[in-house]
Amino acid sequence: MWTNSMLKQNGMANFTKNRWACVVVCLILGIATGGGSGSVGSNVGRNAGGSSSNGSLDFNNIDWDVLIPIIMAVMAVLLVVLVIGLVLKIAVFAPLEVGCQRFFIVNRVQEKAQINNVAFGFKTNWKNIVKVMFFKNLYLFFWGLLCGIPAIIKGYSYRLVPYLLAENPDMTADEAITLSRQMMNGQKMNAFVYDLSFLGWILLSALTCGILYIFYVGPYKKCSDAELYTAIKETYNPQAVM
């Protein structure tokens, strides 16, 4: 049975033997998993359009013929940005995430894995990878609407999908998601405790404005995450879930 200390020890060894490649791939993975979403903020002056003597907004003085086209233009721009973000998330960032996990899996068994492994998702059954990751993220989105514990549990249930695709890019969505759920059956709490073991490092990274995370904690954890996937895969017993 694997232990957190064993996973982290092996992860550190895999990180140190290929340090700078791991740092670069971890940065790419950060873009892949966080680059598909963004926020747009705007500040509106409190006295826009005029105000009455008591400081409240006076709608009678607003020139709606001018304001409505501006509002429509802003909404159109935001819609375009949203569509572009979704397309990038689905068609680019998802297969890039699979490629990054491919790198960390390969880095376990090779002396020095090559950064070009991150292109795996684009060179090997790209359409299927995009489809599987789309359904995985779609299911997580709907579970996320429930908030709280159910969303967290499902996040752990689907955790292994990118790793499974990194080794089996021809798996269907049903196969990958079902297998991830089965493999994580009985392992979700173990994985949660494993993630908590990095909490101190993450808090320390915050004190360095993320610099420590970029060059040390992030790639160290991603190498250890690949160890976690391998350990769960090796201890998985299909008969136990039949």
Side-chain angles (χ1 to χ4, degrees):
M1 179 61 183
W2 55 270
T3 63
N4 290 341
S5 60
M6 179 186 71
L7 299 180
K8 295 166 77 171
Q9 181 179 358
N10 293 340
M12 176 58 71
N14 294 332
F15 169 42
T16 54
K17 74 179 182 183
N18 200 11
R19 183 179 300 272
W20 291 110
C22 289
V23 169
V24 171
V25 174
C26 187
L27 284 171
I28 296 173
L29 182 59
I31 295 173
T33 55
S37 61
S39 61
V40 179
S42 62
N43 293 318
V44 180
R46 293 182 178 180
N47 294 323
S51 61
S52 62
S53 59
N54 60 7
S56 61
L57 186 63
D58 187 357
F59 288 96
N60 293 325
N61 293 331
I62 295 178
D63 189 345
W64 292 104
D65 291 336
V66 175
L67 187 60
I68 290 178
I70 294 176
I71 294 175
M72 296 297 293
V74 170
M75 291 178 63
V77 171
L78 294 178
L79 180 60
V80 170
V81 171
L82 177 62
V83 171
I84 293 175
L86 287 175
V87 171
L88 288 175
K89 175 67 176 177
I90 295 170
V92 178
F93 294 138
L96 196 59
E97 178 183 355
V98 171
C100 289
Q101 304 301 8
R102 170 81 177 186
F103 167 87
F104 288 112
I105 291 174
V106 172
N107 194 58
R108 291 188 62 256
V109 296
Q110 291 186 2
E111 181 61 28
K112 287 191 175 182
Q114 300 299 311
I115 295 178
N116 60 15
N117 278 286
V118 301
F120 174 83
F122 299 100
K123 298 187 295 185
T124 310
N125 208 344
W126 171 80
K127 290 183 179 180
N128 185 66
I129 289 176
V130 167
K131 178 182 177 181
V132 175
M133 291 295 288
F134 170 78
F135 280 108
K136 175 242 182 186
N137 291 325
L138 181 65
Y139 295 157
L140 285 178
F141 170 77
F142 285 121
W143 279 107
L145 296 178
L146 298 178
C147 301
I149 295 178
I152 295 174
I153 291 175
K154 285 300 177 180
Y156 277 95
S157 292
Y158 301 161
R159 179 184 182 125
L160 303 183
V161 171
Y163 293 94
L164 292 170
L165 289 175
E167 293 191 307
N168 307 278
D170 297 327
M171 295 184 73
T172 66
D174 285 341
E175 290 172 341
I177 292 173
T178 298
L179 182 56
S180 178
R181 286 175 41 243
Q182 292 176 347
M183 291 175 66
M184 290 300 295
N185 186 33
Q187 299 282 11
K188 289 187 283 292
M189 181 55 69
N190 294 331
F192 177 71
V193 173
Y194 159 81
D195 286 336
L196 282 182
S197 70
F198 284 91
L199 182 59
W201 280 113
I202 294 174
L203 293 176
L204 188 59
S205 297
L207 297 178
T208 64
C209 300
I211 296 176
L212 182 63
Y213 187 87
I214 292 173
F215 293 103
Y216 183 81
V217 179
Y220 166 35
K221 186 176 189 303
K222 296 308 177 184
C223 287
S224 300
D225 287 351
E227 291 292 323
L228 174 65
Y229 162 70
T230 303
I232 292 176
K233 181 178 68 173
E234 291 177 349
T235 58
Y236 170 62
N237 180 12
Q239 300 298 325
V241 295
M242 292 182 62

